[in-house]
Each structure stands twice: as C-alpha cells, then as structure tokens.
C-alpha cells in the first residue's frame, strides 16, 4: 500500500478502517509526512482536516516544520485548510510556534500566535514571549495577539501591567487594550486613567458628530436639548463625557452582547448624544421598543418624556435587512407602535392607527391605504415588507432625526455622555476596549 493509499484510508466509510489508518500512519512517523502534506495542500481532498490532525498530533513535534512549509507555500485565498491545521497542532509543537513568532511573513506570525493561543494554559509560562506582538507592525498580528492575552484572562494581568509601566513602548497600547477587555477599570492604573482622561478632554475640544452606524441600532429621540433632564427622567447615572465616535462605538459594541452569561449585558450602558438639531438621542439596546424585556418600560419612558418635552420616539433598526420597530409618543400618549422583523411574530406590538407617513408611502408605492382594523403585514406584499425593513430610519428622518444621516453639518450643542442604566448599576459597567482614532479605549478613557 502506497503512502497516499494509506492517507486516503482516513476517509474510509467504515470507522474501524479509519481508526486503523490513523494508527498505521502514526506508526510510520515522519515517513508518512510527505503523503500527508500532499493531502493537506489539496483543498478538494476527501480527507478531512480532523483526520489529518489525528495523525499529525500523533506524530508529534516533527510534523511542525512540514505543516509550516505547506502554510508558507499556500496561495492566498486557498490557505484556510493549512491554516486551520497549523493552528491546532497543540502543545507538543509549542516550541515551533514560538520560533515562528519572529517569522518575516506577518501571515505566519499571525498563525503562530493563533497556535500559541490554542495551547491554552500550557502557554502561560511563555506568555511574555508574545508581548512584542502586541505592538506588531501588522494590525492583524496585533489583533490576534490581543485576543490571545484576553483569552488567558486574569493570569496575565500582572504581565500586562508591567508592560504598561516598563514597555516595550510599542506594546503598551495593546497591553492597555487587553487590560480593558479582561477586567475593565479595575485593571487600569490610576496614572493611566488620569492621562487618558486628559487626552479625552483634549479630543472633546474639537469633537464632531458622526453617523450612528450600528449593526443593531436602538435609540430614543426626545425633542429637547435638556440632556440632564432626559437622563434624570430615565434614571441614568455615572455619566462621563466621550467623543461622539466613542459613544457610537460603545453602542455598537454593546449591541452584540447578551449571548453569554447574562442576556441583559447589552442593556448596561447607553450613549446620550449632545443636542442635535433640537433633539437628544439616547442610543443603546436598552432603548429597543420591540425587545421582550424592554418593550413595556420603553413605552412608559417615551410617554413620560413626551408628557414633559412634547415628543419622544423609540426605534430599533437592523442594518442587514433585520427589520425595524418604531414607537411614537406625543404629549404623554403613544400614537403608534409597530414592528416588522422577518421570522418574528410582532403583531402584539401593534398600537395606534397608521401614521400619515405610512399612508404617504403606501400611496407612493401604489398600495391601498391601511386601516385601523387592517394592520398586519401581507406576506405576499413584497414592496411593503421592504418598506417596513427601512421604516425606523426613514420615519425618524421625517419625525425627528435620522441617526444614519448625522454628519458635520448637523447642528450640535454640548458633548456626548456614556451612562449606566439600572442594569449597569446592578451588573457593573461593561469591560472592553472601544476605539478612538484607531486606538484602544476603555470606556471613555483607555487610550494608548
């Protein structure tokens, strides 16, 4: 039986035959490597990566350099098979990964960091050797190095703090980003916090508004510039000023939460904008008028706000055709609430009668007017469903301010604030690094 035939047996139909092939190839040791590398290069091979790994891990450290050779010679765009195998060889090849950290090709350095990360706690004794990669000239290498340190958690906090104090200088920014992700402000020194606060204050001097672009965008719009009054009525606290772009980044970052230990994580924090053309926006998943945990509270909040300030609206918008939800309140009463989220039953959210804007859009599309009795979406009415997908931002542009259209020409007064909700007060402020001009930010402060 040739070497290739032995390797192809790894994809045999019978499990016993596959196990026998693994044992046979491991027994051959380095003699099996040429045939194994040929299959690793072949993206169309019937031999799975898992099967190849079973043999390569059994052969051990001597498999490292051949796999590295395949990785180096892979054509961009067809390297994923080799990359996945290389980064999963595990602790037996840790010395090889460490050697590859200094490779001249940033793609190989990135793969080596991923391999070290894959060794888990076994790599902790050599974590210091990854420190220079936190300041690597290649952004992708730097990114995976930050991710590796974050995966090790509290165990590497003392090392990262020493990098902040003593360098190397190029790695300080990455170390700060890791500290922000691992334990938030608890891991940041008083000296760093003070310096970062000063930097943020300087940035605020010439801050400008930017479009509020989030994958999952929720906001409340209130027809007032009384930022403090809005925050007081909503029970927001622990607020501190941030550049507009940092507030947007926080809203986007938080909107992806809620999938881990606590589903309420994404409700901890909101961004309260400065006055924008006479409106104050409160941005964050906490403002979602369609979320099961928040729909009643958001409705009640908008009614209270509108009773004091005349008008208040709440919106949710999914940027990838995920849907829209809107709530419009005036003078203490909800005039309209509706939502269209493909695949979800949102009929229970329907309140009020169709708005003038809805009827105008129906007319423009050549569709009959809606009635108070006929509000459900006709699943065969494609034109109206597409209209509803964009309803949140389009309606906001008509009734208040479209957050996607905010730019340097938008009239602005004051500064934006990040503030905690009741969830933030009970669960704690979110950890994590935000971004300011491509630099890591711990909430408002952690900038390298």
């Amino acid at each position: 039986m040739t070497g290739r035939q032995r390797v192809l047996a790894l994809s045999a139909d019978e499990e016993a035959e596959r196990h026998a092939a693994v044992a046979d190839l491991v027994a051959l040791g380095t003699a099996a490597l040429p045939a194994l590398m040929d299959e690793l290069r072949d993206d169309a091979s019937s031999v799975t990566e898992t099967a190849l790994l079973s043999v390569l891990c059994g052969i051990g450290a001597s498999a490292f350099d051949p796999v590295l050779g395949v990785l180096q010679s892979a054509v961009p765009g067809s390297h994923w098979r080799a990359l996945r195998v290389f980064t999963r060889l595990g602790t037996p090849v840790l010395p090889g990964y460490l050697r590859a950290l200094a490779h001249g090709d940033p793609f190989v350095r990135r793969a080596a960091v991923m391999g070290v990360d894959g060794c888990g706690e076994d790599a902790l004794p050599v974590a210091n050797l990854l420190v220079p990669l936190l300041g690597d000239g290649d952004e992708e290498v730097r990114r995976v190095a930050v991710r590796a340190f974050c995966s090790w958690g509290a165990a590497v906090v003392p090392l990262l703090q020493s990098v902040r104090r003593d360098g190397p200088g190029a790695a300080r920014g990455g170390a700060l980003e890791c500290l922000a992700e691992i334990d938030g402000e608890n891991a940041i020194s008083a000296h760093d916090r003070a310096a970062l606060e000063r930097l943020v204050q300087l940035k605020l001097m010439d801050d400008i508004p930017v479009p509020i672009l989030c994958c999952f965008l929720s906001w409340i719009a209130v027809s007032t510039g009384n930022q403090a009054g809005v925050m007081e009525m909503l029970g927001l606290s622990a607020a501190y000023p941030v550049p507009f772009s940092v507030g947007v980044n926080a809203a986007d970052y938080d909107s992806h939460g809620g999938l881990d230990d606590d589903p309420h994580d994404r409700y901890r924090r909101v961004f309260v904008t400065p006055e924008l053309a006479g409106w104050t926006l409160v941005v964050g998943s906490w403002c979602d008028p369609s979320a099961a945990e928040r729909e009643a509270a958001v409705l009640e909040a908008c009614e209270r706000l509108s009773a004091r300030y005349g008008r208040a609206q709440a919106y949710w918008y999914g940027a990838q055709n995920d849907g829209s939800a809107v709530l419009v309140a005036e003078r203490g009463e909800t005039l309209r609430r509706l939502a269209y989220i493909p695949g979800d039953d949102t009929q229970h959210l329907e309140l009020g009668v169709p708005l003038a804007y809805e009827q105008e859009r129906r007319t423009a599309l050549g569709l009959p007017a809606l009635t108070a009795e006929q509000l459900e979406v006709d699943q065969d009415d494609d034109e109206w469903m597409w209209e509803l997908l964009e309803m949140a931002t389009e309606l906001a542009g008509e009734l208040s301010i479209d957050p996607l259209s905010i730019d340097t020409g938008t009239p602005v007064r004051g500064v934006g604030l990040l503030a905690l909700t009741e969830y933030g007060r009970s669960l704690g402020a979110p950890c994590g690094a935000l971004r300011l001009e491509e630099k890591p930010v711990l909430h408002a402060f952690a900038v390298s």
Side-chain angles (χ1 to χ4, degrees):
M1 183 181 292
T2 66
R4 186 165 191 272
Q5 288 172 326
R6 288 186 171 91
V7 174
L8 290 176
L10 293 170
S11 60
D13 293 335
E14 297 296 327
E15 183 178 2
E17 188 175 349
R18 295 196 299 272
H19 287 169
V22 170
D24 187 20
L25 289 164
V26 170
L28 282 174
T30 55
L33 288 172
L36 289 165
M37 295 306 101
D38 287 341
E39 292 306 310
L40 180 58
R41 290 186 185 92
D42 184 3
D43 283 340
S45 171
S46 61
V47 181
T48 66
E49 296 160 18
T50 301
L52 289 172
L53 276 165
S54 296
V55 178
L56 293 170
C57 290
I59 292 173
S62 57
F64 180 83
D65 285 333
V67 176
L68 174 58
V70 173
L71 184 69
Q72 290 177 279
S73 63
V75 177
S78 63
H79 57 266
W80 300 111
R81 180 174 165 90
L83 178 64
R84 286 189 290 266
V85 169
F86 178 82
T87 57
R88 293 162 60 194
L89 292 171
T91 302
V93 304
L94 181 56
Y97 287 141
L98 296 177
R99 282 191 284 110
L101 293 176
H103 200 281
D105 185 343
F107 174 66
V108 174
R109 293 200 303 278
R110 176 162 65 97
V113 174
M114 294 167 66
V116 175
D117 188 16
C119 296
E121 293 185 359
D122 290 338
L124 283 175
V126 294
N128 62 302
L129 299 180
L130 269 71
V131 165
L133 284 302
L134 291 172
D136 196 277
D138 183 89
E139 178 59 27
E140 285 298 305
V141 176
R142 180 190 175 283
R143 181 180 61 80
V144 295
V146 167
R147 187 172 64 192
F149 277 96
C150 291
S151 72
W152 292 320
V156 291
V157 165
L159 172 61
L160 294 167
Q161 289 172 330
S162 73
V163 173
R164 287 299 300 171
R165 289 191 307 269
D166 308 321
R172 283 194 171 109
L176 185 60
E177 186 171 353
C178 295
L179 290 169
E181 292 286 352
I182 293 169
D183 199 22
E185 294 186 37
N186 296 327
I188 307 299
S189 71
H191 178 270
D192 274 342
R193 283 197 296 272
L196 298 166
E197 289 179 28
R198 290 193 297 272
L199 179 57
V200 167
Q201 291 301 320
L202 288 173
K203 295 293 184 182
L204 287 170
M205 293 176 65
D206 56 0
D207 192 34
I208 57 174
V210 298
I212 302 178
L213 302 174
C214 301
C215 292
F216 307 102
L217 175 58
S218 303
W219 74 100
I220 292 173
V222 190
S223 57
T224 180
N226 187 354
Q227 186 187 57
V230 170
M231 293 176 59
E232 181 183 9
M233 290 190 70
L234 292 176
L236 304 176
S237 62
Y240 50 83
V242 293
F244 204 101
S245 61
V246 173
V248 173
N249 187 292
D252 189 36
Y253 181 96
D254 294 346
S255 73
H256 292 84
L259 302 178
D260 299 320
D261 294 337
D262 195 315
H264 297 141
D265 276 350
R266 64 186 182 274
Y267 301 141
R268 296 187 190 197
R269 176 175 59 185
V270 290
F271 172 49
V272 186
T273 70
E275 181 181 352
L276 300 167
W279 290 80
T280 297
L281 306 188
V282 181
V283 187
S285 295
W286 184 79
C287 304
D288 183 355
S290 63
E293 305 94 342
R294 295 290 304 152
E295 62 184 66
V298 171
L299 184 145
E300 188 269 340
C302 286
E303 289 184 339
R304 286 191 299 107
L305 288 165
S306 71
R308 179 171 177 179
Y309 297 112
R311 291 179 290 170
Q313 301 149 20
Y315 299 91
W316 177 84
Y317 175 68
Q320 301 295 323
N321 294 325
D322 302 296
S324 282
V326 303
L327 187 157
V328 178
E330 292 186 7
R331 296 180 294 279
E333 294 185 4
T334 297
L335 303 183
R336 185 73 164 115
R337 184 177 68 180
L338 75 152
Y340 175 59
I341 303 171
D344 288 3
D345 180 7
T346 58
Q347 185 180 355
H348 67 284
L349 292 170
E350 293 277 0
L351 289 174
V353 298
L355 299 168
Y357 175 81
E358 295 175 74
Q359 304 292 30
E360 290 166 4
R361 291 305 303 151
R362 299 276 297 184
T363 300
L365 294 169
L367 300 172
L370 293 169
T371 67
E373 292 75 29
Q374 187 260 313
L375 296 176
E376 291 186 48
V377 176
D378 183 348
Q379 297 300 314
D380 295 323
D381 192 345
D382 288 341
E383 284 187 293
W384 189 238
M385 284 193 291
W386 281 107
E387 187 74 22
L388 288 173
L389 287 173
E390 304 294 323
M391 180 68 74
T393 54
E394 296 294 334
L395 182 62
E398 289 290 317
L399 299 184
S400 53
I401 184 169
D402 175 6
L404 306 186
S405 299
I406 294 169
D407 58 23
T408 56
T410 303
V412 59
R413 183 171 64 89
V415 298
L417 303 171
L418 279 181
L420 296 183
T421 68
E422 69 273 23
Y423 294 95
R425 287 190 292 274
S426 62
L427 298 174
C431 294
L434 307 177
R435 308 296 298 183
L436 173 61
E437 296 182 354
E438 301 305 316
K439 296 179 181 179
V441 181
L442 166 64
H443 310 318
F445 308 136
V447 188
S448 59

